[in-house]
Amino acid sequence: MNVPALQRLLAELRQSGISDENVLAAIGAVDRERFVSAPFAERAWENTALPISFGQTISQPLVVAAMTEALRVGPRMKVLEIGTGSGYQAAILAKLARRVYTIERFKPLSKEAEKLLIDLGIYNVVFDVGDGSKGWPGQAPFDRIIVTAAAEERPQALIDQLAVGGILIVPVGRDPTSQVVERIVKTDSGLQRDTLMPVRFVPLVTGALPVLGQG
Ligand code: SAH
């Protein structure tokens, strides 16, 4: 792990307002270089999104940090992630939660992420392939749910699978230039909603998979 580069990134995250020490420690414990392909490894510690396979991206570290902080994950919690991608966000969540369930629509991405996390000694993540906008009914309810692709509308199936007291973090917006991260808290008396920050995520794609992703 490139420790000086990691330290620089952590300092940048602090300067940008990330203050949860558990989140910063989790980011410090996961080697982001392992989640990007060789040509991008030297940029792994820059505060920037980078390409992964199938036209997808590993999110910007500040966005991962801010969304994870907003999720307020505790050590006994069961967390659902939609959009496994490289597995980086799942690895961060795995450091903070009891168990993480993560769904990806591209099977090769899911398999690669699963292999990498085992390689890194992270064993509390369960992987599934499919349309994550439907959630994971067999494992519901979840204490926390995080969507790492942009939904056109608030995904009702995910709200339904949230425990009372649970938090859902989801980027929402049809237009890539006007997405915002929303936080939805489920309480006894209904839903509380607030908006966290503008972001730019790849779309949450619902329905059938293209043939390319089925290998
Ligand atoms: N959390 C990832 C970022 C992934 S980018 C990381 O840390 O690297 C978003 C991912 O969501 C992509 O891999 C994309 O294929 C996936 N995705 C998009 N729509 C989806 C859906 N309906 N169900 C599951 N995964 C989806």
Side-chain angles (χ1 to χ4, degrees):
M1 185 127 91
N2 184 343
V3 176
L6 165 66
Q7 294 301 343
R8 274 197 297 279
L9 174 63
L10 290 174
E12 189 175 341
L13 296 179
R14 282 180 201 280
Q15 269 162 21
S16 305
I18 305 300
S19 60
D20 185 323
E21 291 302 330
N22 292 329
V23 171
L24 291 162
I27 288 172
V30 177
D31 189 351
R32 193 167 183 260
E33 272 183 46
R34 300 288 302 272
F35 294 81
V36 296
S37 55
F40 299 103
E42 61 187 36
R43 300 188 57 198
W45 298 108
E46 291 176 23
N47 185 19
T48 179
L50 292 168
I52 57 174
S53 327
F54 296 102
Q56 306 303 317
T57 53
I58 177 172
S59 311
Q60 182 190 358
L62 178 58
V63 172
V64 172
M67 287 173 69
T68 306
E69 187 170 71
L71 202 59
R72 296 190 210 130
V73 182
R76 300 173 65 85
M77 289 180 182
K78 183 174 172 181
V79 180
L80 175 65
E81 179 199 24
I82 312 304
T84 312
S86 69
Y88 180 72
Q89 172 78 70
I92 301 290
L93 293 170
K95 300 280 177 195
L96 299 166
R98 180 168 59 82
R99 193 172 294 278
V100 178
Y101 295 81
T102 183
I103 310 176
E104 167 59 51
R105 58 191 287 272
F106 287 109
K107 188 173 178 182
L109 285 178
S110 177
K111 294 296 164 201
E112 227 178 281
E114 184 169 14
K115 230 175 84 208
L116 176 55
L117 263 57
I118 297 290
D119 227 47
L120 295 173
I122 297 171
Y123 304 116
N124 57 337
V125 180
V126 186
F127 295 80
D128 195 18
V129 175
D131 179 2
S133 65
K134 298 185 173 69
W136 195 324
Q139 288 295 343
F142 295 94
D143 302 303
R144 300 289 187 263
I145 302 178
I146 180 170
V147 184
T148 62
E152 291 195 355
E153 277 152 27
R154 262 165 238 117
Q156 189 57 46
L158 300 183
I159 294 173
D160 293 343
Q161 290 174 34
L162 206 54
V164 173
I167 301 177
L168 166 65
I169 301 287
V170 54
V172 180
R174 284 170 193 281
D175 176 353
T177 61
S178 67
Q179 299 169 3
V180 291
V181 175
E182 286 194 3
R183 172 167 50 193
I184 295 166
V185 182
K186 193 185 242 185
T187 71
D188 279 333
S189 52
L191 302 177
Q192 289 168 359
R193 225 171 53 220
D194 64 335
T195 296
L196 300 176
M197 60 181 179
V199 280
R200 199 179 253 262
F201 270 91
V202 296
L204 183 72
V205 181
T206 55
L209 287 164
V211 171
L212 182 65
Q214 294 187 341

